[in-house]
């Protein structure tokens, strides 16, 4: 093995002189730690040693893959058999891998990229992820607020479990005490602050200001887990406003290409050494957070004058995903609404100009009639 290791060597008693790395027919392979990439023992290959963590392709393509090599013995000459079964265990049990099938041979580069080497045989398996298989309940929820309404729409009650339910296997604490005072050694990662929603992570979307050509949103991510950090977190927000130019002040951000999705999708992640780690609730809000275990940013979005409105919750997100998991949204009938008579307000400057010109026209006609 190079670039990874088998968690169990199996029974290799039949090999007395040169013992294999593993003798099991169904070995479990684990990634090497990043420090192993500088090891001179010949156990590493190019693209290995991610510590089990791969970046999203849109964030860092160079860290979005991991590789290892292995030599399989006791096979007939000039043969290569595909794996009978592949199971991807990390980061959870939500992945289902399809059959291993032949595909176009992989091409490697040698001599500084001047020589191409084609693999003898290439086989691929596509693994798809399902949140329903990975989690019994959502792991995050969304709360909403706006400048034009005093109403704050909190996460739906029991979004990720109920406080008084013992069947969820999640305990909670009513105070932000330290991990040591909770009597644990870090084994129980599901110790949460007691809330009505009982979610480890809450996303808060606040419509902050409405300008002539732009509008401003404050986005806050809060960690309610008392013993778990979220390193290299990422957040996906689906909203039609991202079709125009947008600026996130305290997060990295980019828009994702979409096919068959009605609204635009934006991807957010933390700034290195500033807020790329969402700390546990008991550790404080280091990294530019707005409170305990939280990170926040303001987002400026350019208006599409033909589409932008504050009516019917248009300024609120359609869907939100944290770490690839879809968050529980409030029901539309609980969204913050414009005050009474707000339906007559036109937010578009184009409509306001037309209305002003119409009033001036009426005044001019009235003056001519008087004269």
């Amino acid at each position: 093995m190079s670039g990874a290791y088998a968690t169990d060597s199996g029974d290799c008693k039949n090999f007395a002189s040169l013992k294999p790395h593993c003798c099991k027919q169904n070995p479990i392979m684990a990634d090497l730690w990043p420090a192993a990439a500088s090891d001179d023992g010949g156990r590493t290959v190019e693209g290995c040693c991610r510590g089990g963590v791969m970046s999203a392709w849109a964030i860092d393509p160079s860290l979005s893959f991991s590789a290892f090599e292995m030599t399989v013995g006791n096979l007939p000459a000039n043969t290569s058999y595909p794996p009978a079964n592949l199971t991807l265990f990390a980061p959870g049990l939500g992945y289902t891998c399809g059959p291993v099938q032949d595909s176009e041979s992989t091409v490697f580069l040698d001599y500084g990229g001047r020589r191409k080497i084609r693999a003898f045989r290439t086989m691929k398996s596509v693994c798809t992820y399902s949140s329903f298989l990975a989690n019994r309940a959502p792991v995050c929820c969304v709360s909403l607020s706006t400048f034009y309404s005093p109403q704050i729409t909190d996460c739906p009650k029991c979004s990720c479990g109920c406080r008084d339910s013992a069947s969820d296997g999640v305990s909670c604490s009513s105070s932000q005490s330290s991990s040591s005072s909770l009597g644990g050694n870090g084994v129980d990662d599901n110790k949460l602050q007691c809330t009505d929603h009982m979610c480890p992570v809450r996303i808060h979307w606040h419509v902050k200001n409405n300008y002539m050509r732009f509008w401003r949103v404050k986005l806050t991510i809060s960690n309610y887990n008392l013993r778990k950090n979220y390193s290299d977190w990422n957040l996906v927000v689906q909203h039609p406003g991202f079709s125009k130019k947008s600026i996130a002040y305290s997060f990295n951000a980019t828009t994702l290409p979409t096919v068959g999705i009605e609204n635009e999708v934006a991807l957010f992640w933390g700034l290195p050494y500033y807020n790329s780690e969402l700390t546990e609730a008991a550790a404080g809000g280091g990294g530019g957070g707005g409170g305990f275990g939280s990170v926040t940013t303001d987002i400026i979005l350019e208006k599409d004058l033909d589409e932008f409105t504050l009516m019917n919750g248009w300024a609120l997100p359609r869907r939100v995903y944290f770490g690839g998991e879809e968050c529980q949204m409030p029901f539309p009938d609980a969204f913050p609404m414009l005050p009474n008579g707000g339906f007559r307000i036109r937010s578009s400057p184009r409509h306001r100009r037309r209305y002003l010109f119409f009033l001036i026209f009426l005044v001019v006609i009235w003056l001519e009639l008087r004269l």
Side-chain angles (χ1 to χ4, degrees), residues 100-148:
V100 181
Q101 299 177 341
D102 283 293
S103 64
E104 185 178 355
S105 296
T106 306
V107 176
F108 303 93
L109 299 179
D110 200 359
Y111 292 100
R114 294 186 294 271
R115 170 179 164 83
K116 295 180 179 180
I117 302 176
R118 190 173 297 275
F120 171 72
R121 187 179 180 185
T122 298
M123 293 165 280
K124 291 184 179 180
S125 174
V126 177
C127 302
T128 56
Y129 182 75
S130 171
S131 297
F132 298 101
L133 295 178
N135 306 288
R136 292 180 299 175
V139 297
C140 54
C141 63
V142 180
S143 57
L144 308 167
S145 62
T146 63
F147 72 90
Y148 54 79

Side-chain angles (χ1 to χ4, degrees), residues 56-355:
W57 184 88
I59 296 176
D60 191 344
S62 65
L63 298 179
S64 63
F65 67 94
S66 185
F68 66 91
E69 294 180 0
M70 61 181 175
T71 301
V72 183
N74 282 357
L75 290 177
N78 300 324
T79 60
S80 58
Y81 295 103
N85 182 41
L86 282 177
T87 303
L88 190 61
F89 289 107
L93 300 178
Y95 282 96
T96 302
C97 297
V100 181
Q101 299 177 341
D102 283 293
S103 64
E104 185 178 355
S105 296
T106 306
V107 176
F108 303 93
L109 299 179
D110 200 359
Y111 292 100
R114 294 186 294 271
R115 170 179 164 83
K116 295 180 179 180
I117 302 176
R118 190 173 297 275
F120 171 72
R121 187 179 180 185
T122 298
M123 293 165 280
K124 291 184 179 180
S125 174
V126 177
C127 302
T128 56
Y129 182 75
S130 171
S131 297
F132 298 101
L133 295 178
N135 306 288
R136 292 180 299 175
V139 297
C140 54
C141 63
V142 180
S143 57
L144 308 167
S145 62
T146 63
F147 72 90
Y148 54 79
S149 173
Q151 175 187 355
I152 298 177
T153 302
D154 204 353
C155 293
K157 189 175 182 179
C158 297
S159 294
C160 304
C162 293
R163 186 188 305 187
D164 55 353
S165 175
S167 61
D168 296 329
V170 178
S171 58
C172 72
S173 173
S174 58
S175 63
Q176 288 184 335
S177 55
S178 62
S179 298
S180 59
S181 64
L182 291 171
N185 55 2
V187 177
D188 181 12
D189 289 337
N190 292 321
K191 190 74 173 183
L192 306 178
Q193 290 186 31
C194 291
T195 59
D196 289 335
H197 54 76
M198 287 301 294
C199 290
V201 176
R202 186 192 71 172
I203 317 299
H204 186 74
W205 178 279
H206 174 66
V207 182
K208 192 174 183 179
N209 299 103
N210 180 25
Y211 306 113
M212 184 70 70
R213 296 178 53 196
F214 300 90
W215 57 296
R216 181 189 291 262
V217 171
K218 185 174 183 179
L219 182 62
T220 304
I221 309 172
S222 301
N223 183 8
Y224 288 87
N225 200 313
L226 297 173
R227 291 183 181 150
K228 183 178 181 180
N229 298 335
Y230 293 90
S231 301
D232 297 325
W233 57 267
N234 64 75
L235 182 75
V236 172
V237 180
Q238 184 177 340
H239 192 282
F242 291 117
S243 61
K244 308 295 282 187
K245 181 181 178 181
S246 62
I247 300 175
Y249 286 99
S250 301
F251 292 167
N252 287 309
T254 186
T255 54
L256 300 179
T258 57
V259 177
I261 298 178
E262 182 179 357
N263 300 304
E264 299 298 322
V265 176
L267 171 67
F268 301 92
W269 68 99
L271 300 174
Y273 309 108
Y274 180 60
N275 56 10
S276 59
E277 181 175 7
L278 181 60
T279 59
E280 61 188 32
F292 287 107
S294 65
V295 292
T296 185
T297 186
D298 277 18
I299 307 171
I300 291 288
L301 298 100
E302 184 179 359
K303 286 184 178 179
D304 183 345
L305 300 181
D306 294 328
E307 185 177 31
F308 178 82
T309 180
L310 295 177
M311 297 170 54
N312 300 324
W314 183 92
L316 305 175
R318 305 315 188 249
R319 290 186 180 182
V320 177
Y321 301 82
F322 180 81
E325 302 288 349
E326 185 172 1
C327 301
Q328 182 70 37
M329 290 284 298
F331 294 106
D333 58 356
F335 284 4
M337 301 298 292
L338 284 169
N340 292 335
F343 62 91
R344 294 190 295 267
I345 299 176
R346 292 285 189 175
S347 299
S348 171
R350 180 180 304 176
H351 290 108
R352 289 198 293 268
R353 288 195 297 268
R354 290 176 179 175
Y355 183 68

